[in-house]
Amino acid sequence: MKTIRTLQILINLLFYVLLGIVIITITYYLILFIYPEILPDILQMSRMAFSFFDWKFFIGPVLTSLNFILFVYGVYLLKKIIPSFKRADFYGSLVVKNLRKSGQLFIFIGLSTILIKVIFFFVVQNSIGFIGKGMQSFWYISTSLISSIDITMISLIVVGLFLLLFSDSFKNAQLLKQENDLTI
C-alpha cells in the first residue's frame, strides 16, 4: 500500500508540474502574439526568432510541443488508474484500457521524437549544404543521425512497451478471473 501511495504522489506531482508548464507556455505565447508590449524586452526576444527563420524550422518545435501535450495526457491516463490500484481492482477494464493507451502514447512519442530529430537534421543539412566531401561528409552525417537517437526516447519506448505488457497481463488475468468466477 505504501508503494501505491508513493506512486500516486509522484504521478500527481509530475502531472501538475507538466500541466503548469503547458499553461505557462500557452499563456506566454498568447501574450507574445496578442499584447507583446506588456512583456519585458528580454521576453520579447523570442518574437524576433519568428521573423528570421523559414517555416521549415517551426515544424520541429510545433511537433515537439504536440508530443509534450500527448505526454501530459499519457501521465493523466496513468493518474486515473491509481484509485483502481488503491481498491485492489487490478483487473478492471479502466486499468487495462488506460495502461494500453498510455503505452501506445509513450511509444508514439518516443518514435516520433526520434523521427522529428532525423527530419530536422535533413532540413538543416539541406539549408546549410553538406559540410566537406567524401568520408568527412559521411562521418558528419552518420554521427548526426546517431545523435538524434536519444536515450531518453529509447527509455520512453521501453516504458511504453512495459505498459502494453502490463495491460495485456491484466487483461489475461481479468479473463482468468471471470472464468474462475463462472466455475464456482
Side-chain angles (χ1 to χ4, degrees):
M1 202 62 170
K2 187 178 179 184
T3 307
I4 294 174
R5 179 78 179 133
T6 305
L7 180 66
Q8 181 181 25
I9 290 169
L10 290 175
I11 285 182
N12 283 335
L13 180 68
L14 177 65
F15 175 72
Y16 290 119
V17 166
L18 292 175
L19 190 62
I21 290 170
V22 168
I23 290 170
I24 289 170
T25 304
I26 289 172
T27 305
Y28 168 71
Y29 281 109
L30 284 175
I31 291 172
L32 185 66
F33 287 116
I34 297 173
Y35 301 111
E37 63 276 355
I38 66 172
L39 291 174
D41 290 339
I42 191 89
L43 293 178
Q44 289 184 18
M45 293 187 131
S46 60
R47 186 179 176 110
M48 289 187 292
F50 291 113
S51 61
F52 292 129
F53 295 112
D54 192 11
W55 65 270
K56 292 181 270 187
F57 290 102
F58 294 111
I59 293 174
V62 168
L63 292 177
T64 302
S65 299
L66 289 174
N67 275 346
F68 186 77
I69 291 170
L70 287 175
F71 181 74
V72 173
Y73 180 64
V75 172
Y76 171 74
L77 291 174
L78 292 177
K79 180 182 176 310
K80 281 177 56 174
I81 65 171
I82 296 296
S84 296
F85 283 162
K86 287 177 92 173
R87 291 189 311 266
D89 182 21
F90 302 108
Y91 313 116
S93 60
L94 177 73
V95 172
V96 172
K97 183 177 75 167
N98 285 348
L99 282 175
R100 175 163 290 288
K101 280 184 187 178
S102 290
Q104 290 170 341
L105 279 172
F106 291 166
I107 292 170
F108 174 77
I109 292 166
L111 291 175
S112 65
T113 301
I114 291 171
L115 185 64
I116 288 168
K117 288 181 179 184
V118 169
I119 290 172
F120 186 72
F121 165 74
F122 283 113
V123 167
V124 170
Q125 190 65 30
N126 284 337
S127 297
I128 62 174
F130 286 103
I131 297 175
K133 298 202 187 271
M135 272 318 251
Q136 182 183 5
S137 178
F138 170 76
W139 286 114
Y140 174 74
I141 291 172
S142 357
T143 56
S144 297
L145 286 176
I146 290 171
S147 69
S148 68
I149 300 173
D150 188 6
I151 191 71
T152 307
M153 292 304 115
I154 299 294
S155 301
L156 191 61
I157 292 169
V158 169
V159 167
L161 289 170
F162 268 111
L163 289 174
L164 288 177
L165 178 69
F166 289 145
S167 172
D168 289 342
S169 298
F170 286 151
K171 186 173 184 164
N172 289 337
Q174 180 185 32
L175 293 173
L176 287 173
K177 185 177 183 288
Q178 286 175 351
E179 287 178 13
N180 190 25
D181 290 344
L182 290 175
T183 57
I184 293 179

